């Protein structure tokens, strides 16, 4: 009996370890932004209440207002589309200009820039298509040029999302050869062909004009393919790997975190955001409660970073 207290406290310590609490930190979050040409533009994305396509001047105002969020992910919105996605790697492209402006005015912001062709091709696919077929050589060439142009503008991380084979290796070589070996690569490694991207395609006007993305994005029935893809990306030089979408793929996040040593990011995508907005309607408390429960589950599964359209709300909710 004399040891009773001791054993209880040992046991409760064990239980405490076992029930270790998940902590959500605003520093884990990356806020996505859609950037468009022009000035004074705050153009609402119809399917994503609270999210806007912003011109660079408005983006700067928004970034100035970010409280504790220090990481952002940029997407370009343009109508300058063609067969070879030329505008994507133009020095004067909207993303390149946004990156250099941010880096001049907000040195403490870590800038990630999405590297893909779908917002810049007239057919809306993530690849260059030649004679009706995916042209891998031209696609890798274009993706690498985009990544180098972002690095030149000052991006801290480039984020290839095209799901082209060897994109990480090609970009890594391109960055090294151009003197940007310090620019990081956040790879969309395990990217599933998902209906949860629908509102995003509305934001970028990037829905494929023919076919779908199932030939290069993953089938959600597959259990091992995402893990193999992550392994390959790490071997090719990825610094951070990503699982996308997040909520229907918590098992993949969990496995990625357990099996690899690099940081794991999860993308709480546009459809996951839109669903919360649709269900909660104008009820702010309900919205906060559902969103937090979702975001905690992503963190609990093992995500080190969460890309989320709720990032700005999180910085209010967690304080
Ligand atoms: C580009 C890209 C997409 C998303 C991020 N990068 C769309 C897609 O692959 O169809 C989706 C992000 C979101 O839904 O929030 N390839």
């Amino acid at each position: 009996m004399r040891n009773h207290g001791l054993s209880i406290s040992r046991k409760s310590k064990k239980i405490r370890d076992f029930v270790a609490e998940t902590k959500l930190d605003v520093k884990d979050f990356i806020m996505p932004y859609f950037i468009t040409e022009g000035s004074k533009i705050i153009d609402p994305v119809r399917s994503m209440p609270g999210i806007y396509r912003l011109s660079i001047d408005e983006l700067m105002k928004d970034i100035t207002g970010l409280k504790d969020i220090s990481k952002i992910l940029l997407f370009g919105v343009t109508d300058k589309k063609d067969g070879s996605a030329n505008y994507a790697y133009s020095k004067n492209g909207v993303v390149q200009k946004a990156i250099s402006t941010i880096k001049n005015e907000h040195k403490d912001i870590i800038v990630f820039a999405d590297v893909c062709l779908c917002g810049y091709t007239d057919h809306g696919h993530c690849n260059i298509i030649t004679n009706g077929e995916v042209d891998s050589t031209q696609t890798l060439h274009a993706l690498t040029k985009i990544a180098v142009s972002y690095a030149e503008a000052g991006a801290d991380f480039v984020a290839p999302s095209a799901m082209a084979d060897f994109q990480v290796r090609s970009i890594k070589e391109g960055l090294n050869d151009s003197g940007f070996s310090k620019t990081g690569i956040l790879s969309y490694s395990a990217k599933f062909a998902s209906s949860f991207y629908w509102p995003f395609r509305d934001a970028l006007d990037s829905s494929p004009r023919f076919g779908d993305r199932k030939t290069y994005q993953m089938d959600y029935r597959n259990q091992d393919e995402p893990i193999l893809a992550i392994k390959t990306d790490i071997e090719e030089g990825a610094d951070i790997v990503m699982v996308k979408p997040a909520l229907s793929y918590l098992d993949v996040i969990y496995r990625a975190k357990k099996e690899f040593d690099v940081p794991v990011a999860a993308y709480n995508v546009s459809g996951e955001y839109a669903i919360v907005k649709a269900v909660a309607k104008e009820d702010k408390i309900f919205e906060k409660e559902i969103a937090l429960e979702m975001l905690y589950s992503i963190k609990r599964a093992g995500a080190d970073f969460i890309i989320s359209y709720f990032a700005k709300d999180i910085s209010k909710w967690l304080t």
Side-chain angles (χ1 to χ4, degrees), residues 239-303:
D239 301 286
I240 308 175
V241 292
M242 191 204 295
V243 176
K244 174 181 165 208
L247 289 171
S248 299
Y249 303 91
L250 295 175
D251 56 322
V252 182
I253 299 173
Y254 183 78
R255 276 185 73 185
K257 184 63 193 164
K258 281 262 179 287
E259 293 182 30
F260 304 105
D261 274 338
V262 302
V264 175
Y267 202 140
N268 175 222
V269 299
S270 55
E272 296 170 340
Y273 174 84
I275 284 174
V276 176
K277 289 284 177 181
V279 171
K281 299 224 167 59
E282 296 301 307
D283 187 335
K284 288 285 165 207
I285 307 268
F286 188 36
E287 176 185 330
K288 172 181 165 181
E289 280 169 0
I290 316 183
L292 280 176
E293 190 171 337
M294 285 179 165
L295 295 167
Y296 267 98
S297 76
I298 298 170
K299 179 76 186 179
R300 196 178 62 236

Side-chain angles (χ1 to χ4, degrees), residues 3-13:
N3 285 338
H4 195 67
L6 186 62
S7 64
I8 291 266
S9 69
R10 268 213 205 113
K11 201 164 154 201
S12 59
K13 179 178 179 310

Side-chain angles (χ1 to χ4, degrees), residues 116 118 161 191 197 200-201 213 217 244 269-270 309:
C116 198
C118 60
S161 68
K191 179 169 173 181
Y197 307 149
F200 174 94
R201 293 179 188 167
R213 298 204 173 132
Q217 299 183 352
K244 174 181 165 208
V269 299
S270 55
Y309 303 96

Side-chain angles (χ1 to χ4, degrees), residues 38-53:
S39 64
K40 297 200 172 58
I41 296 175
I42 308 177
D43 181 19
V45 179
R46 195 176 37 85
S47 47
M48 301 172 72
I51 299 295
Y52 303 86
R53 302 175 192 89

Side-chain angles (χ1 to χ4, degrees), residues 63-116:
I63 292 179
T64 308
L66 289 179
K67 280 206 298 178
D68 312 309
I69 302 282
S70 59
K71 301 179 191 69
I72 63 174
L73 170 63
L74 303 182
F75 294 95
V77 182
T78 182
D79 50 14
K80 297 190 181 107
K81 300 176 195 262
D82 59 26
S84 47
N86 267 305
Y87 180 68
Y89 43 83
S90 153
K91 261 195 178 6
N92 296 317
V94 68
V95 175
Q96 288 81 352
K97 279 194 283 191
I99 296 169
S100 53
T101 315
I102 298 165
K103 280 292 164 185
N104 277 333
E105 297 182 19
H106 299 278
K107 304 235 174 327
D108 47 333
I109 295 281
I110 301 175
V111 178
F112 295 74
D114 185 86
V115 177
C116 198

Side-chain angles (χ1 to χ4, degrees), residues 84-235:
S84 47
N86 267 305
Y87 180 68
Y89 43 83
S90 153
K91 261 195 178 6
N92 296 317
V94 68
V95 175
Q96 288 81 352
K97 279 194 283 191
I99 296 169
S100 53
T101 315
I102 298 165
K103 280 292 164 185
N104 277 333
E105 297 182 19
H106 299 278
K107 304 235 174 327
D108 47 333
I109 295 281
I110 301 175
V111 178
F112 295 74
D114 185 86
V115 177
C116 198
L117 308 184
C118 60
Y120 303 89
T121 50
D122 48 15
H123 46 65
H125 278 287
C126 305
N127 304 284
I128 307 268
I129 312 274
T130 310
N131 302 326
E133 302 274 339
V134 168
D135 187 333
S136 307
T137 312
Q138 288 308 318
T139 301
L140 288 180
H141 195 61
L143 292 171
T144 305
K145 283 214 266 196
I146 301 173
V148 170
S149 74
Y150 289 168
E152 248 161 16
D156 298 283
F157 283 85
V158 292
S161 68
M163 290 299 280
D165 287 344
F166 308 119
Q167 61 179 6
V168 174
R169 189 175 73 189
S170 174
I171 287 172
K172 182 89 189 165
E173 281 170 9
L175 290 173
N176 285 346
D177 292 348
S178 322
F180 296 109
S181 55
K182 290 215 171 74
T183 308
I185 301 180
L186 158 65
S187 181
Y188 288 64
S189 311
K191 179 169 173 181
F192 290 86
S194 170
S195 300
F196 285 99
Y197 307 149
W198 172 75
F200 174 94
R201 293 179 188 167
D202 177 28
L204 251 71
D205 183 25
S206 65
S207 288
R209 301 288 182 269
F210 55 85
D212 55 40
R213 298 204 173 132
K214 291 194 173 119
T215 48
Y216 44 97
Q217 299 183 352
M218 284 176 195
D219 186 326
Y220 51 69
R221 294 164 192 82
N222 295 354
Q223 297 190 14
D224 290 332
E225 190 190 5
I227 303 302
L228 273 174
I230 291 172
K231 185 167 177 281
T232 309
D233 275 2
I234 296 172
E235 285 162 4

